[in-house]
Amino acid sequence: MRDHEIDLCGAENGGRSPEMPFLERDAAFSFRCAGCGGCCRGREDIVLSGYDLYRLSRRLGLPPKLTARAFCKMYIGTVSHLPVLRLMPVKEEHNNCPFFTENRCAVHEARPLVCALYPLGQEISPAGEVRYYFQATRCGGPVHQANLTDYLEGQGIAQREPLDIRWAQCCMALEQEAPAWEQTLHPVVLRRFQAKLGEALYYRYDLNRPWLEQLEENLAWLKEERTRLEKMQQNIHRKK
Ligand code: SF4
Ligand code: SF4
């Protein structure tokens, strides 16, 4: 099973290269940033987790599905075989992120994990071990010195880490199961199941309730839905 990676390259295409070593928790690192907003321009690769969408939806005061309809594109990942949600760039504005306005992030306090992490990448193993690595940038501007633990706290990443670990584990487990669905489900039933997956992972969330307990409920619901769809498929075969 491959590890779950979140970095600047996006979860579907990303991957830590050997020249990006993992950082110890007390490691110091430095990077340059001029605050030019360049990393929000021309972006077509910002992948959201279910928790990212939940946070954005709370910030915008919109149900998750409406937030996704307005700002995202969902498709089935070629690597993961799971529904993937990306922020949809604004074509008329040089493919900038839809939340990039007046040279700043309009949703800064609810920005996706990949944005909060930058210039770090995150890797989570199936066992839930989380590690961070540094992605060298070619940016200019003042040098920022940081310590990993303080950086993670300051960017709000440490606070959400348990939720991101659970999300990663859940995606890795579903990714393992995906080939079986594709082999056993009729294409029409498979499409219905993929829609249920999208609901369970991204949309079926009440913004007034904590996200994690709803993810667990949705995973149980997804199992029931799969059984129901399999029974439906068997009944159709029997009638033929
Ligand atoms: S990281 Fe680089 S591109 Fe992004 S705001 Fe800083 S200087 Fe600009
Ligand atoms: S969500 Fe905010 S920080 Fe992330 S790319 Fe968009 S504007 Fe930039």
Side-chain angles (χ1 to χ4, degrees):
M1 195 187 285
R2 70 194 178 104
D3 288 351
H4 187 90
E5 293 192 23
I6 292 291
D7 63 24
L8 200 59
C9 310
E12 273 288 307
N13 352 311
R16 186 185 63 86
S17 57
E19 61 273 16
M20 298 177 187
F22 289 114
L23 296 168
E24 298 294 332
R25 283 282 166 160
D26 57 355
F29 63 96
S30 64
F31 59 98
R32 287 182 183 275
C33 176
C36 69
C39 39
C40 306
R41 294 194 181 93
R43 298 306 302 264
E44 301 182 50
D45 55 353
I46 306 282
V47 175
L48 304 185
S49 69
Y51 186 52
D52 285 331
L53 181 67
Y54 172 90
R55 282 164 45 91
L56 279 170
S57 300
R58 281 178 63 116
R59 165 71 179 75
L60 299 169
L62 292 172
K65 205 173 217 167
L66 274 189
T67 304
R69 275 202 194 133
F71 300 106
C72 306
K73 182 182 178 193
M74 183 177 276
Y75 57 94
I76 298 298
T78 48
V79 179
S80 66
H81 301 261
L82 300 179
V84 178
L85 199 64
R86 278 184 201 261
L87 284 183
M88 200 160 50
V90 185
K91 273 194 191 140
E92 301 73 26
E93 291 173 20
H94 314 287
N95 281 339
N96 292 348
C97 171
F99 298 121
F100 189 59
T101 48
E102 296 174 8
N103 222 29
R104 56 181 281 277
C105 176
V107 293
H108 181 75
E109 65 281 16
R111 66 200 183 287
L113 176 63
V114 65
C115 306
L117 275 169
Y118 188 76
L120 301 180
Q122 183 195 64
E123 190 174 289
I124 297 173
S125 75
E129 186 197 359
V130 56
R131 293 185 292 179
Y132 295 90
Y133 53 92
F134 180 68
Q135 307 173 85
T137 73
R138 296 196 186 120
C139 296
V143 175
H144 298 261
Q145 306 276 0
N147 156 291
L148 181 61
T149 302
D150 295 343
Y151 191 79
L152 297 180
E153 287 276 340
Q155 299 298 317
I157 299 163
Q159 296 83 333
R160 57 177 287 174
E161 198 177 72
L163 284 70
D164 291 319
I165 290 173
R166 184 65 191 114
W167 169 261
Q169 288 180 314
C170 147
C171 290
M172 284 184 274
L174 290 169
E175 207 176 308
Q176 287 283 98
E177 290 178 30
W181 311 326
E182 293 179 355
Q183 279 166 13
T184 57
L185 297 177
H186 182 280
V188 175
V189 181
L190 178 63
R191 275 202 294 281
R192 285 181 77 163
F193 182 62
Q194 285 167 337
K196 302 280 179 195
L197 266 170
E199 292 284 332
L201 294 175
Y202 295 99
Y203 301 149
R204 215 169 168 264
Y205 292 85
D206 176 343
L207 300 178
N208 296 312
R209 290 181 55 208
W211 174 81
L212 188 55
E213 66 185 36
Q214 296 186 78
L215 173 67
E216 303 299 351
E217 288 167 12
N218 285 352
L219 292 175
W221 171 80
L222 190 64
K223 264 190 193 161
E224 288 168 15
E225 287 299 305
R226 185 181 167 191
T227 308
R228 195 179 62 76
L229 287 171
E230 280 169 345
K231 274 189 190 151
M232 191 180 84
Q233 179 168 296
Q234 284 162 7
N235 288 342
I236 293 169
H237 281 312
R238 256 186 238 125
K239 282 181 191 161
K240 274 186 182 170

